[in-house]
Amino acid sequence: MDKSERFVITVNRQFGTGGHEIGAELARRLGVKLIDKQILQAVARKFNLTESEAAQLEVRRPSWWEDFSRFYQAFVDVHPYRVVEREVTSRQFFYAQAAAMRQIADEESCVVVGRCGFDVFKSHPNKLRIFLHSNLDRRIDRVMERYGVDEEKARILIEDNDYTRELYTKTFTGRDWYDCRNYDIALDVSKFGVNGAVDFLMRFIDE
């Protein structure tokens, strides 16, 4: 990746690694836009949803039958461009998010956190695709501290979020979330912390 040209950095991460904070700090140091919640806002406007409704739709586990049924219903509607909340499928939402991300990346350099960015920008000529992982014990400690939960609840949150991200990735990209071929670098952040991980990544980018 050449940071003297317009670039895209994608950050995919296991739950509890501090990936969002790492992505945000990376964007801050590079002086570029962080693509995260503003994508929800853009897609919400497209479908005439509130940001809260869009957020709920994004985190919902996709159901192929639900998607098919709702897509078919929208297809036969005599007003196909009048999309209301009950007609929005998770697949439509994914494609709209991807389009919004590409529009931003066409205009300026950015860091993309999650949302299958590694696949959305697989053909981008100047990209760096990062996967952040960490050992389970460190992630449990971080989730317990960040969310104020006990160890059992932290484990459940990690398992549920990782499963959802893995399923989301497989459903919409056909790729395995853990496949190292999806990424340019996979970094174990167990011993780094947020700033240490960003320091490492900045050195990697500058080389």
Side-chain angles (χ1 to χ4, degrees), residues 136-144 151 154-155 158:
L136 182 59
D137 288 341
R138 292 300 298 270
R139 291 198 286 151
I140 288 172
D141 289 344
R142 180 179 177 82
V143 171
M144 288 173 63
E151 181 177 341
R155 286 180 181 274
I158 289 170

Side-chain angles (χ1 to χ4, degrees), residues 2-33:
D2 182 359
K3 69 177 185 179
S4 67
E5 303 288 340
R6 189 171 66 242
F7 62 82
V8 175
I9 296 175
T10 67
V11 179
N12 288 85
R13 75 284 189 214
Q14 289 182 310
F15 186 74
T17 57
H20 183 274
E21 292 86 345
I22 291 169
E25 178 62 14
L26 195 58
R28 188 192 68 79
R29 292 198 199 180
L30 290 167
V32 300
K33 178 172 286 186

Side-chain angles (χ1 to χ4, degrees), residues 123-134:
S123 299
H124 195 283
N126 192 28
K127 63 184 179 297
L128 175 64
R129 298 169 298 173
I130 300 167
F131 185 78
L132 303 176
H133 59 100
S134 178

Side-chain angles (χ1 to χ4, degrees), residues 35-51 54 93 96-104 115:
I35 296 184
D36 190 11
K37 289 192 175 180
Q38 66 264 44
I39 293 301
L40 281 179
Q41 295 169 353
V43 176
R45 288 193 296 270
K46 174 181 175 65
F47 288 116
N48 194 31
L49 305 177
T50 67
E51 187 175 345
F93 192 80
Q97 277 196 139
M101 290 191 292
R102 291 191 188 100
Q103 183 176 353
I104 294 171
R115 295 168 171 79

Side-chain angles (χ1 to χ4, degrees), residues 15 61 156-166 177:
F15 186 74
R61 289 177 179 169
I156 292 171
L157 286 171
I158 289 170
E159 290 174 2
D160 187 65
N161 279 275
D162 281 355
Y163 174 76
T164 298
R165 290 172 183 180
E166 190 172 4
W177 187 50

